[in-house]
Amino acid sequence: MWFKNLQIYRIPAPWKFDQDEFISQLATQAFQTCSNSEMQSQGWVAPRADGELVHSVNQQLLLQLTTERKLLPNSVINQVAKARALEVEEQQGFKPGRKMLKEIKEQVGEELLPRAFSIQRSTMVWIDPVHGWLVIDASSPAKSDEVLKLLLKCCDKLPLEMLRVELSPLAAMTDWLAGNEAPTGFTIDQDTELRSKSESKATVRYVRHALDPKEIASHIASGKQCTKLALTWADKVSFVLTENLTLKRVQALDVLTEQDNAQNENEKLDGDFALMCGELNRLFSDLVFALGGEAKQA
């Protein structure tokens, strides 16, 4: 159950909290399936089928947000509304006006909504109250914001900050590429993206391609900066670091995954979660150090 994309935030360490109270707070926004009149519903569910809304393993907390969304494309509503408008025209002998067309469309949407298919997606959240991390498995800040919005609605006193470092990831990654040398504990892999600072935003991407030092130097000399860089940490975890300090395509390598001796799904979830927390804690520490340490919060 390793997280694939890491949006990283800071909380004070150690963060003292009451787990029962935290569970009660999350329960105020527990997940409920969409009603007939709702397009979307969001809420917290237990990460383990037989567990609580907060699942704890070795003082590490796991949460799960579930989002259900109805699938009702505008093209379907428009098609049915058009047919309904033709029926009205035949009955009344004249075309419906703009106001009536709008009412017809709204009525069709209300009628179709209860019969619309729905899809669900889950977003996992890891809270480390010992070392002060809050990490969301989301591919974009927008999806991460959805989680934070609901989390803060439940627990408005959660002391949350963005992770800030002294060195710009953009500048640091560019320097690592320019010198063809990763920081201590890391190796540079074969995926990267360089983007021009000019208005053209000219972009060069390497995907599973050897990074030729002369080519890279030429791109950097022309004014391009590294916006994404694939790295491997300690021969254990590979990932892509972005200019926004997001880790994408996170993957545990064989040296970690071959240790799996779980007897059932619950044991596997707990084992994977504990292993992930331990390794990512060390990765975060090394990455923050490589980026000049944490910047002081304003």
Side-chain angles (χ1 to χ4, degrees), residues 15-26:
W15 177 46
K16 296 181 180 180
F17 75 106
D18 183 293
Q19 183 160 323
D20 290 337
E21 181 183 0
F22 193 30
I23 291 172
S24 297
Q25 291 172 332
L26 296 179

Side-chain angles (χ1 to χ4, degrees), residues 10-239:
R10 266 309 204 178
I11 57 176
W15 177 46
K16 296 181 180 180
F17 75 106
D18 183 293
Q19 183 160 323
D20 290 337
E21 181 183 0
F22 193 30
I23 291 172
S24 297
Q25 291 172 332
L26 296 179
T28 63
Q29 298 294 325
F31 175 73
Q32 301 287 338
T33 58
C34 289
S35 67
N36 286 343
S37 60
E38 289 181 316
M39 280 293 294
Q40 177 175 298
S41 177
Q42 283 185 320
W44 304 103
V45 301
R48 286 194 356 180
D50 59 347
E52 301 277 4
L53 293 179
V54 178
H55 184 59
S56 178
V57 179
N58 298 335
Q59 295 182 285
Q60 305 298 300
L61 311 180
L62 183 65
L63 315 180
Q64 181 175 333
L65 178 74
T66 292
T67 301
E68 182 179 66
R69 181 173 287 113
K70 294 281 187 69
L71 299 178
L72 186 55
N74 278 330
S75 58
V76 173
I77 295 177
N78 291 336
Q79 182 179 355
V80 177
K82 183 178 180 180
R84 187 76 55 82
L86 287 174
E87 292 176 3
V88 171
E89 182 179 353
E90 290 177 357
Q91 294 171 0
Q92 298 182 348
F94 58 87
K95 291 184 177 181
R98 182 176 300 178
K99 181 179 179 181
M100 182 175 288
L101 287 174
K102 181 180 179 182
E103 292 174 351
I104 290 173
K105 188 174 179 180
E106 290 174 351
Q107 183 181 10
V108 167
E110 292 173 359
E111 292 174 0
L112 294 179
L113 189 58
R115 291 181 282 162
F117 289 105
S118 62
I119 56 172
Q120 291 186 2
R121 62 175 172 85
S122 293
T123 306
M124 308 302 293
V125 182
W126 160 38
I127 301 177
D128 179 354
V130 179
H131 302 96
W133 299 110
L134 189 149
V135 181
I136 300 174
D137 186 1
S139 59
S140 69
K143 290 183 178 179
S144 181
D145 287 345
E146 286 184 8
V147 179
L148 292 179
K149 182 178 179 181
L150 198 64
L151 184 58
L152 293 172
K153 188 174 183 179
C154 299
C155 185
D156 60 357
K157 295 182 180 180
L158 181 66
L160 191 66
E161 297 281 352
M162 292 291 297
L163 172 63
R164 295 181 175 88
V165 290
E166 288 290 346
L167 299 178
S168 157
L170 191 73
M173 292 189 294
T174 303
D175 286 345
W176 299 340
L177 274 182
N180 194 30
E181 185 175 0
T184 302
F186 297 85
T187 54
I188 295 174
D189 296 336
Q190 294 188 324
D191 289 25
T192 190
E193 178 181 284
L194 297 107
R195 187 178 65 224
S196 173
K197 292 181 286 186
S198 66
E199 291 183 5
S200 69
K201 303 295 183 183
T203 302
V204 175
R205 295 184 180 90
Y206 289 80
V207 180
R208 294 188 294 276
H209 192 289
L211 306 182
D212 183 273
K214 291 183 178 179
E215 287 184 6
I216 296 296
S218 175
H219 289 308
I220 293 174
S222 69
K224 294 185 179 68
Q225 293 179 300
C226 182
T227 55
K228 295 179 183 178
L229 183 63
L231 297 164
T232 292
W233 169 77
D235 295 326
K236 292 181 178 181
V237 181
S238 66
F239 62 95

